[in-house]
Amino acid sequence: MEHLSFETFNALPLFQGIGRSQLEKFKETVPHGIKTFEPDAVLAAQDSPCEILFIPFRGTLKVVCASDNKRFSLQEDLQAPTAIEPEGLYGIAPRFKRTYIAADPVEAIVLPKDSVTTLFREAEIFRLNMLNILSTRIYRQQKGLWNAASGDIRSRIVHFILVHALYPAGEKILNVSMACLAEQLNDTRANISKALHQLEAEGFVTLRNKKIRVSALEQLIGYVQTQKI
């Protein structure tokens, strides 16, 4: 933390609104580190123990999440500043739910779990920011689960990508066979193939061998919503 300016530190998700005096106290009393991750370095791997809180403040992360049976996975980008799965530190399954890889040089604050617990106990602003992040993520997850996966097959494909993504915007790469996607959506492979090729013709996706690339998920969501009107 000693290498970060007050302005940079104050812009981090868990430390917004922190005062200078509190920052000085953290520098002296809270164990921490600042680390640079070179491109392709893995910060955290899916299903590995979540014992450290990474707070990237510079760079871009490639985020990958695979299904339990490894039959499909979703890749997306995550731009700093961000906090990597603070919810994973506690609870009945303290493990990372996704893999986080440096897409370019990434600089991050590294906080052991004990340090996070200390900050949560002693710093009200940290505690409030943590609760806000957790509440937002719970809301997004619950809202996604209860949104009806109805409509035509294109709408259901978009819904499938949306509920597996961290954020409803940006580039997404879904690694899946059409047969597997058909199973997931309870439809035929022929219907899945037809819908995807329609979306490709309209410029919203690019298809490769077992790979569906969505250039901008927010644009695809907007498109399928207009088709329902």
Side-chain angles (χ1 to χ4, degrees):
M1 294 181 193
E2 60 273 18
H3 299 126
L4 290 181
S5 68
F6 174 77
E7 289 73 22
T8 298
F9 192 81
N10 200 237
L12 299 178
L14 285 164
F15 295 95
Q16 291 178 355
I18 190 173
R20 290 182 182 273
S21 60
Q22 281 190 308
L23 174 57
E24 293 302 320
K25 181 180 178 181
F26 294 158
K27 288 180 180 179
E28 299 296 329
T29 63
V30 179
H32 66 276
I34 296 177
K35 187 173 181 179
T36 299
F37 296 88
E38 297 301 325
D40 297 325
V42 177
L43 282 74
Q46 183 175 344
D47 295 325
S48 65
C50 185
E51 300 171 340
I52 296 174
L53 177 59
F54 297 94
I55 308 177
F57 57 87
R58 188 171 293 114
T60 304
L61 296 165
K62 180 172 68 175
V63 185
V64 182
C65 188
S67 62
D68 288 343
N69 59 13
K70 310 302 181 186
R71 295 189 63 194
F72 65 88
S73 65
L74 184 71
Q75 176 183 321
E76 56 191 315
D77 289 339
L78 181 61
Q79 185 68 46
T82 188
I84 295 179
E85 296 191 25
E87 69 276 13
L89 289 166
Y90 304 98
I92 60 174
R95 292 181 176 274
F96 289 103
K97 307 304 183 293
R98 291 171 167 81
T99 296
Y100 299 81
I101 305 166
D104 50 31
V106 170
E107 295 180 81
I109 294 175
V110 180
L111 288 169
K113 182 176 180 178
D114 288 347
S115 294
V116 177
T117 302
T118 298
L119 288 169
F120 195 83
R121 183 178 62 247
E122 298 182 359
E124 182 180 21
I125 190 64
F126 183 93
R127 185 162 60 249
L128 292 173
N129 285 333
M130 174 76 86
L131 289 173
N132 184 56
I133 288 175
L134 297 182
S135 297
T136 299
R137 294 187 180 186
I138 290 170
Y139 170 79
R140 286 176 176 168
Q141 183 183 52
Q142 294 293 330
K143 188 174 186 294
L145 289 174
W146 286 100
N147 282 339
S150 59
D152 63 19
I153 186 60
R154 290 179 298 182
S155 296
R156 288 188 282 133
I157 290 172
V158 172
H159 182 269
F160 180 82
I161 296 172
L162 182 60
V163 298
H164 288 89
L166 270 177
Y167 296 103
E171 182 184 74
K172 313 293 175 185
I173 300 175
L174 179 62
N175 297 286
V176 65
S177 68
M178 290 196 186
C180 177
L181 187 56
E183 289 179 15
Q184 295 296 318
L185 297 179
N186 193 30
D187 212 310
T188 66
R189 185 189 184 285
N191 285 343
I192 295 293
S193 178
K194 180 181 178 180
L196 286 172
H197 280 95
Q198 286 177 341
L199 291 174
E200 184 175 42
E202 290 156 351
F204 292 103
V205 306
T206 302
L207 303 178
R208 294 292 182 267
N209 184 33
K210 296 183 180 181
K211 191 183 296 285
I212 303 166
R213 176 183 172 273
V214 179
S215 57
L217 182 57
E218 68 277 16
Q219 294 179 10
L220 181 54
I221 292 171
Y223 170 74
V224 297
Q225 288 177 342
T226 62
Q227 300 305 299
K228 296 178 182 179
I229 299 175

